[in-house]
Amino acid sequence: HEMSTTPAPCKPSINTKQDLEEYQQTPTYAKFLEFLLSLNESVKGKPLSTQVYRSPFVDSVCQLLDVLSSWIDDIPPLPHRSRFGNEAYVTWASRLNERSLDLHNNFLNLSLHHPIIDHIDASTSTSSSSSLAPTTISTSIVPISPSIVAEISCYFTHSFGEPLRIDYGSGHEAHFAAWMYCLAQTGYFTPQDHPALVLVVFHQYITLMRRLQTEYWLEPAGSHGVWGLDDYHFLPFLWGASQLTEHKYIRPKSIRNEEVVAAYAKDYMYLECIKFINKVKTGSLVEHSPMLVDISGVRNWSKVNEGMIKMYKAELLGKLPVMQHFLFGTLIPFIPTNTSSLEHDDDGDDHHHAGHQHHNHHVGKFFASSSPSPPPDSDRMPQSCMCALRVPAAFAASSEERPRKFHLGLD
């Protein structure tokens, strides 16, 4: 399902399970995973309100995301109802595809200077405390060129969903992480920026995506959110669990307490995810998000974070239906040694049950050291496959006749 406008240097390379296994043994895989884990480590114990170092490039990215958000105002949803997304999203995505390269050339300021020099100068002059002191800057910087800018732009355009299907999923989210990684490869972001990349940039991206999801009613890509955590996202849970590590009062089981969620969602991405899920879905958390309830029985946030990392490696980076759409190029290179055969896996197909594992198996696999206690209303836990709880679309309304605004909780 590669977009026809994908530049040649940035394209999928994984077609078979053999390709995927080969990729997982490459330095490319190791470096990308190291970047994700470094971001995870950088926000441990840090709420969203933490005053972190913000380079001029972080601010530039925020302005870029503001532009994309303003387009939603320019392109309101079409008035007709559709179960499979609002076609106004296609117009929004087309504008992104048309303007992304120019936007990148503008904010990367390609013609003026190499960014790493100014970045080092800015970090040394604006950091006034030891906690904000500049870290060691990597010397392995990829030189900027028009083709590199085009490649970075390619990852960006694939971060906001698929206009052909009007859907969005964790694979698109992974491309946004890859986009940040590419900018780090070119020197625009350094390790000093890592807390801001999660707490400022990524959080703004998630906020934008939630607006796109609700305004244009994007379908979730894949069968049912794949892991059952959320129909769209994974990384806010992974990095959000890191934020809550060693919190004095909030425990994993606190997600079942609506007052705690309401009070702290503005500071912690994990709780913000729970608040949003409760807002857009009908029924109780145990009914529409049983895996999250199961995980809430894990002993502490450190264990939750460890489990999320294992899950991400296995269920996203290790799954062919996701990785066969992942883009590779100069900055994230991979060329499989054997390209003679193609495989088509049904795990990610909305109409197949083959790739679905029941939530209890997933939790036991990745959070094996925990002994979850039954939630208060566990007697209401559905015993059948949870797929039936996901209609229509991500918001699982009980009736197609319910007015759209009420249906989405957007009063």
Side-chain angles (χ1 to χ4, degrees), residues 245-260:
T245 299
E246 298 180 1
H247 194 282
K248 290 183 179 180
Y249 310 111
I250 302 174
R251 301 288 181 264
K253 66 181 179 182
S254 299
I255 70 165
R256 304 178 217 155
N257 187 317
E258 292 185 6
E259 292 182 358
V260 172

Side-chain angles (χ1 to χ4, degrees), residues 294-371:
D294 285 348
I295 294 171
S296 73
V298 175
R299 185 165 59 252
N300 55 54
W301 287 110
S302 179
K303 293 294 183 184
V304 172
N305 189 232
E306 291 172 9
M308 291 291 176
I309 292 170
K310 293 177 184 177
M311 199 181 232
Y312 195 77
K313 290 166 65 176
E315 298 297 320
L316 191 140
L317 299 179
K319 277 291 188 285
L320 182 61
V322 178
M323 294 306 295
Q324 67 187 359
H325 303 297
F326 193 80
L327 302 176
F328 295 92
T330 304
L331 296 170
I332 306 180
F334 176 65
I335 301 175
T337 56
N338 180 13
T339 59
S340 60
S341 62
L342 295 177
E343 272 183 29
H344 298 285
D345 197 306
D346 288 334
D347 286 5
D349 194 322
D350 281 348
H351 304 289
H352 289 77
H353 185 76
H356 174 49
Q357 295 181 0
H358 290 258
H359 64 278
N360 287 332
H361 294 290
H362 269 301
V363 174
K365 180 178 180 181
F366 302 110
F367 302 87
S369 61
S370 65
S371 300

Side-chain angles (χ1 to χ4, degrees), residues 9-57:
C10 184
K11 60 185 179 180
S13 295
I14 294 174
N15 295 309
T16 69
K17 291 181 180 178
Q18 180 181 343
D19 293 342
L20 179 57
E21 291 170 0
E22 183 181 344
Y23 166 65
Q24 290 176 307
Q25 302 303 315
T26 63
T28 295
Y29 173 86
K31 290 178 182 178
F32 182 51
L33 181 60
E34 181 184 12
F35 175 74
L36 298 178
L37 296 181
S38 178
L39 294 181
N40 180 71
E41 190 68 26
S42 74
V43 296
K44 277 194 173 178
K46 293 183 174 71
L48 291 168
S49 58
T50 303
Q51 296 297 310
V52 296
Y53 168 71
R54 289 179 60 154
S55 73
F57 298 104

